[in-house]
Amino acid sequence: MKLLVTADLHFNHGKSHQLAKDLIEQINQTDADVLLVVGDTATADENQLEAALPLIHFSGPKLFICGNHELWTRRDDSYMIFKQELPERIAALGWHWLEENPFVQDGLAIVGSVGWYDYSYAPASLQIPRRFYEAKLSPGAAAYFSAFNHLLGDDVPESAREIFARWNDGKLVKLHRTDDNFLSERMAGLNQSLSQVPAHCRVIAGVHHVPFSQLLPPRHSPAWDFARAYLGSDLIGNLLLEDTRITHVFCGHSHFASEQQIKHIHAINIGSGYRQKHLWIGEV
């Protein structure tokens, strides 16, 4: 089976829109059996998905994984969007919603999950207490925004107070549960998907967030390093490594292309971002 994979189209983003359209045209001209899109196609608000996905003219099965940007909303409940609204909209567009709904064909199964994060990728060297990661802004940002001044305390070193960063999930994703709890739910769903796959099948997994630390981008500035907390979790990869049927794992989210062999798994971060787009195509 020839598989075509991409991620992070960010169709609604100004810097990314034309590049996303160019990539879609490339998809339309590429011969493959199955198309897998691994999250952050467009936000759920304002029918951006309905603007993007119909532009993809692909005759084979089209598999959709949600990213964190699909959960960005000005409304009150990202969790309802994720559990109820998005699956219905994606199906209405003729796509296969992959979360807890494996795709199986000709002895090959493809499973998928948005994944999520638990701050375990946060560098300890920054010395930033966990409460800042939970609030999704750094000590410097907490000092600047008066609504978050209460997070500051004697346990925050001066070096951390100089870091100014904010993760937009904190403003635009409303899960009504902790990030740890949402990650645990998603891992339970991914495990359930794997259990539904017939024993004889080979398995491909797609996860939007980074499932292996080996795929993380290199360390950079303190503000950039603060954001590593939100890139994913090894809990995802550890679950996938337990299933020896899995041959390939694809992710996106970090906008950093990387490819590693991790035990029996060929792990690939597609590496698309706002200013560059990538496709992966190969026999699986």
Side-chain angles (χ1 to χ4, degrees), residues 113-167:
S113 176
V114 62
W116 210 249
Y117 45 76
D118 56 4
Y119 328 134
S120 56
Y121 288 160
S125 60
L126 296 182
Q127 297 181 280
I128 296 176
R130 181 182 173 89
R131 62 184 179 274
F132 291 94
Y133 292 110
E134 292 172 343
K136 299 184 175 62
L137 79 172
S138 67
Y144 180 82
F145 296 108
S146 59
F148 297 96
N149 288 172
H150 65 280
L151 294 174
L152 299 168
D154 294 339
D155 59 342
V156 183
E158 192 61 35
S159 60
R161 293 171 184 261
E162 296 175 357
I163 301 171
F164 193 100
R166 192 169 193 179
W167 191 252

Side-chain angles (χ1 to χ4, degrees), residues 11 21 23 28 49 62 68-69 80 82 106 111 142 151 168 183 208 211 222 260 279:
F11 186 83
K21 291 179 70 175
L23 185 81
N28 292 343
L49 289 166
K62 302 185 293 289
N68 60 310
H69 278 238
M80 179 279 297
F82 175 71
D106 299 331
V111 301
L151 294 174
N168 280 331
L183 176 61
H208 179 64
Q260 300 284 336
L279 292 175

Side-chain angles (χ1 to χ4, degrees), residues 2-284:
K2 185 179 287 186
L3 179 65
L4 178 62
V5 188
T6 192
D8 297 281
L9 289 176
H10 293 291
F11 186 83
N12 58 291
H13 194 282
K15 294 179 181 178
S16 182
H17 180 73
Q18 186 58 50
L19 289 174
K21 291 179 70 175
D22 292 344
L23 185 81
I24 288 170
E25 183 60 30
Q26 188 178 350
I27 290 171
N28 292 343
Q29 297 175 10
T30 301
D31 179 38
D33 299 306
V34 177
L35 171 63
L36 172 63
V37 177
V38 192
D40 281 5
T41 299
T43 57
D45 285 356
E46 301 174 355
N47 295 320
Q48 290 292 332
L49 289 166
E50 283 76 8
L53 293 179
L55 297 178
I56 299 176
H57 304 143
F58 186 85
S59 60
K62 302 185 293 289
L63 314 182
F64 183 94
I65 294 172
C66 175
N68 60 310
H69 278 238
E70 272 79 23
L71 304 185
W72 282 17
T73 182
R74 298 294 180 183
R75 292 176 277 163
D76 296 327
D77 195 343
S78 298
Y79 192 75
M80 179 279 297
I81 291 171
F82 175 71
K83 295 292 286 186
Q84 300 177 27
E85 179 181 312
L86 280 175
E88 294 175 358
R89 289 169 62 184
I90 295 305
L93 290 167
W95 286 65
H96 181 112
W97 175 262
L98 207 54
E99 190 96 27
E100 299 183 12
N101 185 24
F103 169 82
V104 181
Q105 180 176 293
D106 299 331
L108 179 71
I110 302 177
V111 301
S113 176
V114 62
W116 210 249
Y117 45 76
D118 56 4
Y119 328 134
S120 56
Y121 288 160
S125 60
L126 296 182
Q127 297 181 280
I128 296 176
R130 181 182 173 89
R131 62 184 179 274
F132 291 94
Y133 292 110
E134 292 172 343
K136 299 184 175 62
L137 79 172
S138 67
Y144 180 82
F145 296 108
S146 59
F148 297 96
N149 288 172
H150 65 280
L151 294 174
L152 299 168
D154 294 339
D155 59 342
V156 183
E158 192 61 35
S159 60
R161 293 171 184 261
E162 296 175 357
I163 301 171
F164 193 100
R166 192 169 193 179
W167 191 252
N168 280 331
D169 284 3
K171 296 184 294 181
L172 298 173
V173 176
K174 297 104 176 204
L175 292 172
H176 306 293
R177 61 211 358 95
T178 67
D179 293 315
D180 293 276
N181 286 344
F182 189 58
L183 176 61
S184 294
E185 285 184 21
R186 303 289 36 89
M187 292 306 92
L190 185 55
N191 195 46
Q192 178 182 338
S193 289
L194 290 168
S195 70
Q196 294 174 23
V197 172
H200 69 277
C201 286
R202 291 178 297 110
V203 181
I204 306 296
V207 184
H208 179 64
H209 288 78
V210 178
F212 299 105
S213 59
Q214 295 95 321
L215 297 178
L216 289 172
R219 296 282 298 273
H220 197 260
S221 66
W224 175 262
D225 289 348
F226 174 81
R228 288 168 72 92
Y230 309 108
L231 295 186
S233 171
D234 277 337
L235 288 178
I236 308 168
N238 290 341
L239 186 153
L240 297 172
L241 284 169
E242 291 176 359
D243 195 322
T244 57
R245 299 172 299 171
I246 298 176
T247 60
H248 294 71
V249 172
F250 296 92
C251 70
H253 185 55
S254 70
H255 301 183
F256 176 76
S258 183
E259 191 165 344
Q260 300 284 336
Q261 186 68 34
I262 304 171
K263 295 185 179 179
H264 58 278
I265 289 175
H266 189 186
I268 301 165
N269 191 317
I270 296 299
S272 290
Y274 295 123
R275 299 183 182 275
Q276 71 285 318
K277 305 294 178 188
H278 299 293
L279 292 175
W280 184 95
I281 185 166
E283 294 288 341
V284 291

